[in-house]
């Protein structure tokens, strides 16, 4: 464990807001050339301590073409959510990532990574933070314009069960974005 990993694992900046306690979940190394930024761990990930260890992770691996072995190889893939701890449940699903987390840690993590990374921005929280100039666009519009953000960023919808309906309404995603995504992922491993 690097000193930065140790600092993150000891972080308590938002502990008083976390009904299930503090358990930062992230993965990265100085050689990770593929970065996946999602929103925050869900309850299953909080329980296991393994990023994307749930059905959303299964779908994300399907989209990217990554095997579990590849995804959990920190030498290749950084998994850096907007909030490192499970924020708890709200009325319509998980609560948003805690706002303290990304400002406290993201720059420090990104500074460790190689300069030529590809960053997958999974969901609207990651896209709002890393593509602020697109805030007036919908998630669908950002994903449709995915090529415009390459080679640095590639925006994606969140791969939760809710994306099934979104994918039915937007068949271009599977026809054009997924093949391009897999090509980009392969070239960054």
């Amino acid at each position: 464990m690097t000193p930065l990993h140790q600092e993150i694992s000891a972080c308590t900046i938002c502990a008083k807001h976390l009904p299930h306690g503090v358990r930062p979940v992230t993965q990265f190394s100085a050689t990770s050339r593929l970065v996946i930024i999602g929103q925050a761990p869900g309850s299953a990930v909080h329980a296991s301590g393994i990023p994307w260890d749930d059905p959303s992770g299964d779908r994300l691996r399907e989209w990217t073409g990554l095997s579990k072995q590849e995804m959990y190889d920190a030498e290749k893939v950084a998994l850096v959510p907007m909030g490192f701890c499970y924020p708890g449940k709200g009325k319509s699903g998980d609560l948003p990532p805690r706002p303290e987390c990304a400002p406290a840690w993201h720059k420090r993590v990104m500074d460790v990574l190689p300069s030529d990374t590809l960053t997958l921005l999974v969901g609207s929280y990651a896209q709002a933070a890393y593509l602020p100039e697109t805030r007036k666009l919908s998630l669908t519009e950002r994903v449709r314009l995915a090529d415009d953000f390459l080679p640095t960023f590639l925006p994606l919808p969140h791969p939760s069960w809710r994306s099934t309906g979104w994918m039915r309404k937007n068949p271009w995603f599977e026809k054009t974005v997924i093949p391009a995504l897999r090509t980009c992922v392969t070239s960054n491993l």
Side-chain angles (χ1 to χ4, degrees):
M1 244 202 213
T2 68
L4 181 55
H5 285 94
Q6 290 172 344
E7 283 183 65
I8 291 170
S9 67
C11 179
T12 60
I13 60 173
C14 55
K16 67 183 178 184
H17 303 288
L18 300 173
H20 300 280
V22 175
R23 186 170 194 184
V25 179
T26 188
Q27 163 188 302
F28 61 92
S29 79
T31 60
S32 306
R33 288 192 59 240
L34 176 64
V35 183
I36 301 174
I37 301 179
Q39 48 188 65
S43 59
V45 171
H46 178 76
S48 72
I50 301 169
W52 295 101
D53 185 27
D54 57 16
S56 293
D58 295 339
R59 177 170 273 168
L60 182 60
R61 282 187 293 278
E62 179 185 319
W63 288 354
T64 60
L66 288 169
S67 67
K68 275 191 169 187
Q69 181 179 359
E70 289 168 324
M71 186 172 201
Y72 295 123
D73 182 348
E75 298 299 311
K76 295 179 180 180
V77 180
L79 304 171
V80 186
M82 292 303 296
F84 292 173
C85 295
Y86 173 50
K89 282 273 184 230
K91 291 180 182 176
S92 62
D94 289 345
L95 291 170
R98 290 296 315 159
E100 303 90 342
C101 194
W105 298 112
H106 274 225
K107 181 175 181 345
R108 292 184 66 195
V109 170
M110 296 308 167
D111 286 349
V112 169
L113 304 176
S115 61
D116 62 344
T117 61
L118 168 65
T119 302
L120 307 182
L121 300 173
V122 182
S124 58
Y125 295 107
Q127 292 164 22
Y130 283 86
L131 299 173
E133 70 281 4
T134 69
R135 285 183 193 230
K136 292 184 180 181
L137 299 178
S138 69
L139 178 134
T140 301
E141 291 168 318
R142 281 190 297 270
V143 173
R144 189 183 297 272
L145 295 171
D147 284 349
D148 293 356
F149 306 110
L150 290 171
T152 306
F153 298 113
L154 204 158
L156 299 169
H158 191 280
S160 73
W161 61 270
R162 290 183 176 119
S163 65
T164 304
W166 182 89
M167 289 170 63
R168 266 191 243 119
K169 291 179 191 172
N170 299 285
W172 52 266
F173 176 71
E174 285 186 279
K175 290 178 185 165
T176 60
V177 176
I178 297 245
L181 168 64
R182 289 180 181 162
T183 300
C184 290
V185 164
T186 300
S187 68
N188 278 275
L189 288 183

